[in-house]
Amino acid sequence: MRFDGSRDMSRAIDRLTRRLPEPLEDLAWISYNYLWSWTPGGRELFRTIDAHRFTLSGENPVRFLLNLPERDLLRAATNQDLLERLAQVAQIMDASMQRPTNRVLSSGPVAFFCAEFGVHQSLPVYSGGLGVLAGDFLKETSDQALDVVGVGLLYRRGYLHQRMNLDGWQHEYWLEANTDQLPAVRVRGADGLPVRVTVPVWDGELAAHVWRVNVGRTPLYLLDAELEENSPLERWVTARLYEGSHEIRLAQYALLGIGGVRALDAMGINPSLFHLNEGHAALASLEIASQTSKELTGDPLGLKKLLEVGRDRFVFTTHTPVPAGNETYDPDVFFSVLGRSIDQMGISRDELSSESRIDPTSTTESLGFSPLAIRCARSTNAVSKRHGEVARGMWNPLFPDAKLDEVPITHVTNAVHLPTWMDPTMRGLLTKFFGTDWERHADDPGLWSHVDEIPDVDLWRARCDMRLQLVEMIRSRIVVDRLGRGEDVALAESAFSAFDPTHLTIGFARRLATYKRLDLLFHDVDRLRKIIDHEEGAQIILAGKAHPLDYEAKNVAKNMFVVKRGLDIPNRVVFLEDYDLRMAPQLVAGCDLWLNLPRPPLEASGTSGMKSALNGGLNLSVLDGWWCEGHNGQNGWAIDGSVVDDAREQDERDAKALYDLLENEVKPLFFSRDANGIPVGWLARVRASLRTLGPQFSGARMVNDYVDQIYRPNH
Ligand SMILES: *Cc1c(COP(=O)(O)O)cnc(C)c1O
């Protein structure tokens, strides 16, 4: 008997059902499955009932329905059009849930471990690209009907919110999630009590419950330490993502790795394979090693041997192309947090130290999870071709006998979940030419060749519609952002007419980290002004959050505010506060040009450019990460990705290349129109971009690659 939370889910759904008028009953189970968020028409159901309240609820349907006055529910229950659409959405979702499972391996599901999951804005357990990728991954496994389960942590205050002050300095705040109103349920065991796991941390026993979230067919299990029996410090372990303190992080990663395996055991889930998405969960290998050791008789095996025995059950994906990104820990700190846990598993601290060091013979090197993950896994992969090369170089010291190209690290290039990231406008247009139900086969290039049949007028109208929606969103957002910062009322109000729906609209939105080089755009302010401030003008949207302790990145944002003010065209360059999963789809859909300016080779993959491409945006990017594979000369623009040793020289060179492209190629192409006002040359590029990038960077391609190359390489 499995106590995997499905019964608890049914109970929660029954409770919500009882609140609803009979004709709306299907809304209860729909609300408890994020599949609604990528099913056509799903979001509109809730918006039709009350768009304003749905927004206020953070687009969390459970919270929305629990707080909706009864009279509004009764009114909705008589809306025939709504009921018809509800029946349609319910039918599509039900059909998806009823499909037979496509087993990855016969011996059990794949358990996908990650420290963050960006499933939806209403589930605040993500911070940036890694989490969004993990969320996209789970959604795609659901679409492909694969047996995968996700494992992560339920951060009660997971989500960092951003405010900028007048000077452009970032302030952050956290809101506590109300778990009672999340589309999540506490998993209970046979005795009716919550499933409880413990992991020795510091001098105590850190206890955690497990929550289940339905991401389509794929369950996501989140461990939660916010329990009365835990001390305030222990409870803090699942308070926030990526805490600054190494001790807290170590406790988090112990709960994720060791606690995650124990939680699956407690629920009767026996994975055939553990997929460590980034190294944070690498301690899972110790729990498996310890279990193996208990099953074996005879002489006790050392950790190295035990990891070898378990290797067939682990695969590892690395996302970090810089040594500094692979956090390491002082051994004293490491064992002050985790020592008792390690001892209780019967693992020698010295052996664990060796396995967690690049040089296993060192006694002083600090300890990291990436070396441990690489050693415990039968396969390690990077997330783009170029990142694979970088990772082989970076981890070559772990394989001292291997030549660079023999280092056993391969790559599966990232991709994005198409139904999440393609705007309904574009999805509707493509469906007319691709046929119904094409999304699950979005990795088929044959399908995408149909973009050539879309008439210019239709494609241009879709692009203009999406740009207009973005302009409208921006107008209302920046008035509020500016008033909130205490800007002049006149300046704030001028934003209401800001942004022109006919201008070339350029986007740059991602985590604010210095290597992403947002400042490159402002390298030559005079040149920038000429590009923007023109009758055939351009407008730029910026957004992104810095890690609270990344003062360098916060300074870049601050300087950008100063330069922006100096440009004196305040409504052509805007910074949108609090970039998140709600804002991102609107930006990637509405922008004509998407910029990515990383310092090569530091962009492992990058994914926001793929999202833009799916919506008919064009990429202008440094040839790094995914763009090395995506760019073909016709489907966007590229900046040389070679490395100059002197960083300032590199910035100089790359900024010049950026301005040259904007002045000489991008703008002329965008504004060169035929007699009907259509930019025929631009649209040819948009088609080339959709045709080539669509199949290559849709999640179906990525998940199929993982299944074929990583999960079952010998099939
Ligand atoms: C896609 C996405 C990212 C990652 O963008 P990159 O281009 O890979 O840096 C980060 N945050 C959010 C909210 C996203 O949607």
Side-chain angles (χ1 to χ4, degrees):
M1 186 70 185
R2 273 166 65 155
F3 291 91
D4 61 359
S6 31
R7 281 185 334 157
D8 309 294
M9 196 56 91
S10 304
R11 285 209 192 96
I13 291 167
D14 286 347
R15 268 197 305 279
L16 183 56
T17 307
R18 286 198 289 276
R19 236 193 88 76
L20 301 176
E22 203 252 18
L24 296 180
E25 277 181 354
D26 277 336
L27 277 178
W29 69 268
I30 289 175
S31 297
Y32 272 97
N33 191 328
Y34 276 112
L35 178 54
W36 67 263
S37 69
W38 74 90
T39 299
R43 183 166 174 262
E44 283 62 42
L45 290 179
F46 302 106
R47 288 182 53 83
T48 304
I49 298 175
D50 190 329
H52 181 60
R53 277 175 183 271
F54 190 52
T55 305
L56 285 182
S57 73
E59 305 211 349
N60 168 353
V62 172
R63 185 171 157 199
F64 170 68
L65 291 176
L66 285 174
N67 294 299
L68 201 67
E70 198 179 349
R71 60 162 200 281
D72 292 336
L73 285 171
L74 291 172
R75 186 168 37 85
T78 61
N79 178 340
Q80 281 314 313
D81 169 61
L82 173 72
L83 296 180
E84 268 166 44
R85 285 186 286 130
L86 171 59
Q88 257 170 31
V89 171
Q91 197 243 325
I92 298 172
M93 283 179 59
D94 189 53
S96 175
M97 298 303 291
Q98 299 305 333
R99 286 174 297 155
T101 302
N102 177 5
R103 300 228 171 274
V104 179
L105 297 159
S106 52
S107 50
V110 174
F112 184 87
F113 280 63
C114 193
E116 50 169 316
F117 285 92
V119 173
H120 188 260
Q121 57 180 98
S122 61
L123 189 64
V125 298
Y126 70 96
S127 108
L130 178 69
V132 177
L133 181 88
D136 278 9
F137 189 91
L138 295 190
K139 293 174 189 175
E140 192 66 44
T141 60
S142 168
D143 289 352
Q144 305 295 332
L146 296 167
D147 51 341
V148 172
V149 303
V151 179
L153 299 178
L154 182 69
Y155 306 96
R156 294 295 185 113
R157 304 176 184 81
Y159 205 86
L160 177 163
H161 288 279
Q162 175 193 53
R163 298 284 326 179
M164 308 300 269
N165 74 9
L166 264 178
D167 303 328
W169 188 254
Q170 170 179 302
H171 293 266
E172 45 290 305
Y173 60 99
W174 287 262
L175 298 178
E176 182 148 355
N178 178 354
T179 43
D180 287 343
Q181 301 196 345
L182 284 180
V185 294
R186 214 184 281 266
V187 179
R188 288 170 189 275
D191 53 6
L193 296 174
V195 165
R196 176 177 170 275
V197 295
T198 59
V199 180
V201 169
W202 291 293
D203 297 325
E205 288 288 320
L206 176 66
H209 286 177
V210 186
W211 294 76
R212 176 180 169 133
V213 177
N214 285 339
V215 184
R217 305 165 49 101
T218 302
L220 169 60
Y221 294 106
L222 299 172
L223 281 84
D224 172 21
E226 180 64 44
L227 304 182
E228 268 187 29
E229 63 179 293
N230 285 331
S231 72
L233 171 63
E234 288 167 339
R235 288 187 207 176
W236 192 257
V237 170
T238 53
R240 295 179 187 167
L241 245 166
Y242 304 134
E243 278 285 85
S245 149
H246 275 190
E247 290 191 55
I248 304 276
R249 285 192 187 211
L250 284 165
Q252 294 183 322
Y253 303 152
L255 184 61
L256 175 64
I258 302 167
V261 174
R262 291 178 184 173
L264 293 174
D265 274 347
M267 292 185 291
I269 298 171
N270 189 14
S272 56
L273 194 66
F274 296 93
H275 183 167
L276 308 175
N277 193 43
E278 197 47 294
H280 306 122
L283 295 173
S285 63
L286 303 187
E287 177 64 12
I288 297 297
S290 145
Q291 288 176 8
T292 312
S293 157
K294 284 178 195 134
E295 285 156 16
L296 294 175
T297 49
D299 291 338
L301 298 179
L303 179 59
K304 201 179 184 57
K305 276 270 174 302
L306 287 171
L307 291 182
E308 257 166 46
V309 176
R311 261 169 75 86
D312 240 14
R313 296 183 70 194
F314 282 90
V315 298
F316 170 46
T317 300
T318 172
H319 292 258
T320 322
V322 265
N326 290 273
E327 204 170 84
T328 58
Y329 307 93
D330 177 89
D332 288 340
V333 175
F334 189 95
F335 289 111
S336 77
V337 182
L338 301 176
R340 283 179 48 252
S341 226
I342 310 297
D343 298 345
Q344 280 189 16
M345 286 189 282
I347 287 164
S348 129
R349 295 187 183 194
D350 286 344
E351 283 185 292
L352 174 59
S353 300
S354 291
E355 299 302 326
S356 308
R357 287 182 167 124
I358 294 173
D359 173 8
T361 63
S362 163
T363 53
T364 52
E365 197 186 306
S366 51
L367 311 181
F369 287 136
S370 296
L372 178 64
I374 292 173
R375 290 193 177 105
C376 80
R378 68 162 157 78
S379 147
T380 295
N381 72 277
V383 291
S384 72
K385 188 160 179 282
R386 184 172 188 186
H387 179 221
E389 289 158 20
V390 172
R392 284 190 287 279
M394 204 165 102
W395 298 112
N396 203 346
L398 244 57
F399 307 92
D401 301 331
K403 292 207 208 73
L404 184 60
D405 59 353
E406 294 164 355
V407 173
I409 298 180
T410 166
H411 74 272
V412 173
T413 305
N414 283 344
V416 297
H417 182 243
L418 184 142
T420 296
W421 292 107
M422 187 179 274
D423 190 88
T425 309
M426 185 56 89
R427 203 169 161 189
L429 179 64
L430 294 195
T431 300
K432 278 193 209 150
F433 294 85
F434 290 17
T436 50
D437 219 20
W438 60 275
E439 292 90 344
R440 280 181 206 142
H441 319 284
D443 55 336
D444 172 9
L447 208 55
W448 292 86
S449 62
H450 294 295
V451 294
D452 292 338
E453 296 155 22
I454 306 176
D456 277 344
V457 270
D458 295 339
L459 189 55
W460 186 235
R461 190 179 310 121
R463 288 294 320 146
C464 291
D465 285 351
M466 289 190 277
R467 189 186 317 104
L468 179 63
Q469 284 171 34
L470 175 63
V471 166
E472 284 170 354
M473 181 276 271
I474 287 183
R475 286 176 170 173
S476 55
R477 280 284 303 237
I478 36 181
V479 176
V480 174
D481 280 3
R482 283 179 182 172
L483 288 173
R485 286 203 279 277
E487 299 267 20
D488 277 354
V489 170
L491 176 70
E493 227 214 354
S494 74
F496 206 66
S497 55
F499 266 52
D500 184 326
T502 66
H503 280 348
L504 170 69
T505 303
I506 303 175
F508 182 105
R510 53 182 52 83
R511 197 159 47 84
L512 290 180
T514 39
Y515 84 86
K516 302 267 196 183
R517 292 197 297 181
L518 166 65
D519 41 345
L520 220 57
L521 196 55
F522 299 97
H523 201 82
D524 185 337
V525 178
D526 287 333
R527 256 182 110 174
L528 179 64
R529 182 186 289 110
K530 284 190 198 118
I531 291 168
I532 301 170
D533 197 9
H534 192 275
E535 200 180 329
E536 295 185 336
Q539 50 203 2
I540 302 181
I541 307 162
L542 310 164
K545 294 171 179 166
H547 186 278
L549 297 178
D550 189 349
Y551 291 99
E552 229 185 317
K554 286 183 165 184
N555 267 319
V556 169
K558 187 164 177 258
N559 291 337
M560 181 264 296
F561 264 63
V562 174
V563 175
K564 210 160 73 68
R565 194 154 286 153
L567 270 172
D568 210 28
I569 32 176
N571 294 329
R572 290 278 179 93
V573 182
V574 301
F575 182 88
L576 296 183
E577 289 176 6
D578 214 22
Y579 177 54
D580 65 0
L581 271 181
R582 186 167 111 83
M583 187 194 298
Q586 298 172 285
L587 295 188
V588 295
C591 287
D592 300 294
L593 187 74
W594 196 257
L595 294 181
N596 194 13
L597 308 167
R599 180 182 303 291
L602 301 188
E603 185 77 306
S605 167
T607 50
S608 58
M610 305 170 186
K611 303 168 188 168
S612 166
L614 288 181
N615 287 290
L618 292 177
N619 278 273
L620 191 175
S621 170
V622 171
L623 278 174
D624 197 14
W626 77 285
W627 196 228
C628 297
E629 290 152 74
H631 180 62
N632 71 358
Q634 266 94 57
N635 57 3
W637 291 274
I639 294 173
D640 186 353
S642 62
V643 178
V644 179
D645 286 336
D646 182 322
R648 289 176 58 157
E649 223 174 275
Q650 171 123 33
D651 290 352
E652 192 78 36
R653 182 194 78 178
D654 296 350
K656 183 172 178 306
L658 167 67
Y659 293 126
D660 286 348
L661 283 171
L662 288 174
E663 285 167 5
N664 304 332
E665 301 204 26
V666 177
K667 280 190 66 190
L669 196 64
F670 186 81
F671 286 108
S672 131
R673 306 290 167 93
D674 72 2
N676 300 315
I678 290 175
V680 178
W682 182 272
L683 289 182
R685 255 179 207 252
V686 170
R687 280 203 192 78
S689 169
L690 284 167
R691 195 182 335 102
T692 55
L693 305 177
Q696 209 179 342
F697 299 101
S698 288
R701 194 274 303 147
M702 168 175 71
V703 164
N704 290 338
D705 280 356
Y706 271 104
V707 172
D708 295 343
Q709 296 165 28
I710 307 292
Y711 296 163
R712 30 182 203 209
N714 302 320
H715 271 236

